[in-house]
Each structure stands twice: as C-alpha cells, then as structure tokens.
Amino acid sequence: VQLVESGGGLVQAGGSLRLSCAASGSTFSINVMGWYRQAPGKQRELVAAFTRGGSSTNYADSVKGRFTISRDDAKNTIYLQMNSLKPEDTAVYYCKAVATMGLYTYWGQGTQVTVSS
C-alpha cells in the first residue's frame, strides 16, 4: 500500500485547508485510515480517523468542530477538511493506513501545514 498526501500549505489563522490522501496498491487490505500530525519537538498524535469498518470516526479533542474527515471509496482517497485553523495546528500531517487486521501499518510522506497568526 502506498499513501500520497497533498493539500498542505501556508494559511492565516482562521483560514481553511483541505488535505487529501490517495491510497494505491493493495487497498483491499486496508481496515482503517486516518490522519495524524507531528509538530516540532512533539510526538505524533491522532487528528482524525475512521474506525474499523468505516462506520464512525474519532477526532482529537483539539480539532472537534473544526476538522472533518471524509472518504471517497471509489478513489481510494480520504480527506481532512480543516476550518478555523489556529497557529497551534501547525505541523506535518501524515496519512496512516492499517491493513490486514493490524498486521501492517503504512504512512504517507507527510504534508506541511503552517498557520500564521
């Protein structure tokens, strides 16, 4: 499985960005997909993810009400719509896929999101 993120960039506080993560390869084996982020000097953290089966979602408390994860199964792509961005949202955002009932974990290369105050 290969994951390619896009859509990062520089935005002012209060602005919006939409990230995309396109999966290719053995996409049939993917069970869970989601978005994580890592700010300088901090650990990588969950931002938003679909639960196994894709019927519901999880969000970090810090992004609830501002970020929305969505998917297009026909395109094997997930999205992260980020609204009301804050400087503390500045980080490298990574797409993650868990496949074969947890046996394999895949990460994208990351996309930088910078929010200026």
Side-chain angles (χ1 to χ4, degrees), residues 72-88:
D72 185 337
D73 290 340
K75 296 181 178 180
N76 293 314
T77 299
I78 65 169
Y79 304 94
L80 186 67
Q81 178 65 44
M82 305 185 294
N83 299 328
S84 302
L85 282 161
K86 304 175 181 180
E88 51 264 43

Side-chain angles (χ1 to χ4, degrees), residues 2 4 6 8 12-13 20 22 26 39 42 47 59 65 75 78 82 84 92 94-95 97-99 110-112:
Q2 295 79 44
V4 178
S6 60
Q12 288 188 332
S20 300
S26 301
K42 295 187 177 181
V47 177
Y59 291 92
K75 296 181 178 180
I78 65 169
M82 305 185 294
S84 302
V92 178
Y94 296 91
C95 179
V98 177
T111 185
Q112 176 71 46

Side-chain angles (χ1 to χ4, degrees), residues 14-26:
S16 298
L17 283 175
R18 187 195 193 207
L19 305 183
S20 300
C21 172
S24 61
S26 301

Side-chain angles (χ1 to χ4, degrees), residues 89-100:
D89 294 319
T90 295
V92 178
Y93 284 70
Y94 296 91
C95 179
K96 175 184 176 181
V98 177
T100 318

